[in-house]
Amino acid sequence: MSSALDWNREGRIWPHREASSFVPSGGATWHVQRMGPSGAPQVLLLHGTGASVHSWRDVMPLLAADHDCIAIDLPRHAFTSGHSVEHTALPRMAEKVAGLIADLGLDPAIVVGHSAGTALAIQLALDHGYSGPIVGLNSALRPFPGPAAQVFPALAKALFVNPLVPRIFSATTRLPGEAKRFLNRSTGSRIDETGLACYSALLRNPRHAKGALAMMANWDLPRLKARLGEVANPVLLVHSDKDTAIPLDWTREASSWLPDAKLEVMQGLGHLAHEEDPERAAELIRDFARIRQEQTQ
């Protein structure tokens, strides 16, 4: 069995380490980062598949000027431990996140998700009563077209059950510069050295890689798509035009399935746009939260 990431080894390089805590909830232990004034409106930050709280490293301090920001490592990702494979399915993951929210006594004023984190935010709205605004950054909402909708999850499952795959993948990313090349190819983004160091640590760990594969294998976007018309929450979808992971047209189409959605395009950036231009991402999040708050007063 491959070893988990060690907070006192790999975790030594994690941004905002002083803001981290480890919270027991639902039979698991969650890695949570929190910063910002107590009593301020709360922002819940949900990263995408294969990432961790480090993806919010520059957005979070900007929002924390006037928000209480909470970022979590999702089940079987990074430094969160104790979840079963079944908890990587979208409804079960939402259930576990909702349990953590309750155990922490949170009442988010806005939920922000990146990539698959947007789908998770919407599932929280559909199944667990979250009624506030949602911001989706380079969102993974649209199922793969045609036969790929069935083939991709099946392939992910096949890769997941092969114990060699996460090890082989992790071994290849140990090659000098390979993590950077992998991110450039797969996301179209160019990020800073701090982010690259964290992604390199994640990609090198077979257990984290297996968690990301499990999440992909169990992510049922066709079922979510069938329910998007039920979403009453105001949604801002922010997408970048150079995203090589999820085409802008896919998010443009997905926005039409939501009853109350707005699309904002960030120019010249890739899938990790919020890591490339955190100031712009934070500005869009803060403005959307403010406008929605004013509309409800």
Side-chain angles (χ1 to χ4, degrees):
M1 180 180 292
S2 57
S3 61
L5 288 157
D6 188 328
W7 183 242
N8 292 315
R9 188 176 60 238
E10 291 89 354
R12 290 173 65 86
I13 67 168
W14 243 245
H16 312 303
R17 183 180 167 89
E18 72 285 351
S20 288
S21 61
F22 290 85
V23 179
S25 176
T29 301
W30 299 73
H31 176 218
V32 178
Q33 287 194 336
R34 190 167 188 174
M35 66 176 67
S38 177
Q42 294 174 354
V43 179
L44 178 64
L45 301 165
L46 304 172
H47 67 74
T49 309
S52 83
V53 297
H54 84 277
S55 70
W56 305 110
R57 64 192 174 279
D58 294 323
V59 170
M60 201 171 178
L62 295 171
L63 294 176
D66 50 11
H67 288 80
D68 179 6
C69 300
I70 304 98
I72 63 176
D73 282 346
L74 296 181
R76 298 182 75 87
H77 279 64
F79 300 99
T80 287
S81 62
H83 291 99
S84 69
V85 174
E86 290 74 18
H87 296 151
T88 59
L90 180 53
R92 294 297 303 278
M93 190 176 288
E95 176 187 327
K96 290 298 178 181
V97 172
L100 175 65
I101 290 171
D103 288 344
L104 288 173
L106 302 179
D107 183 19
I110 186 168
V111 178
V112 182
H114 172 246
S115 194
T118 306
L120 182 56
I122 288 174
Q123 197 76 46
L124 285 171
L126 289 169
D127 291 348
H128 299 283
Y130 173 68
S131 59
I134 294 170
V135 176
L137 306 174
N138 292 80
S139 304
L141 294 177
R142 185 191 187 281
F144 281 85
Q150 286 74 44
V151 172
F152 180 75
L155 177 62
K157 286 184 172 69
L159 293 174
F160 170 73
V161 299
N162 184 341
L164 293 177
V165 170
R167 291 186 178 277
I168 292 170
F169 175 74
S170 298
T172 61
T173 57
R174 291 179 184 272
L175 298 173
E178 183 55 33
K180 182 177 182 178
R181 288 190 289 270
F182 172 78
L183 285 172
N184 289 350
R185 290 193 307 267
S186 61
T187 70
S189 289
R190 304 293 186 270
I191 62 173
D192 62 17
E193 292 300 321
T194 299
L196 283 172
C198 293
Y199 279 115
S200 294
L202 295 174
L203 292 170
R204 288 197 302 264
N205 185 266
R207 181 172 290 190
H208 175 85
K210 193 169 186 179
L213 282 171
M215 189 170 170
M216 288 189 288
N218 288 296
W219 220 239
D220 190 350
L221 289 179
R223 182 171 296 182
L224 179 67
K225 175 183 179 293
R227 297 189 62 194
L228 289 182
E230 303 172 29
V231 178
N233 309 63
V235 179
L236 173 64
L237 296 178
V238 180
H239 212 91
S240 43
D241 62 342
K242 303 299 183 183
D243 188 340
T244 58
I246 301 172
L248 172 58
D249 285 347
W250 286 23
T251 294
R252 186 173 284 116
E253 182 180 3
S255 69
S256 70
W257 302 333
L258 290 158
D260 184 5
K262 175 186 176 184
L263 176 64
E264 185 84 28
V265 178
M266 295 177 73
Q267 301 291 336
L269 303 174
H271 188 62
L272 305 177
H274 65 298
E275 300 187 47
E276 296 179 275
D277 191 350
E279 291 82 6
R280 178 60 175 151
E283 178 185 28
L284 288 167
I285 293 166
R286 182 179 282 109
D287 286 351
F288 191 63
R290 176 181 53 78
I291 291 169
R292 290 300 175 170
Q293 184 177 20
E294 290 173 353
Q295 290 175 344
T296 58
Q297 288 177 345

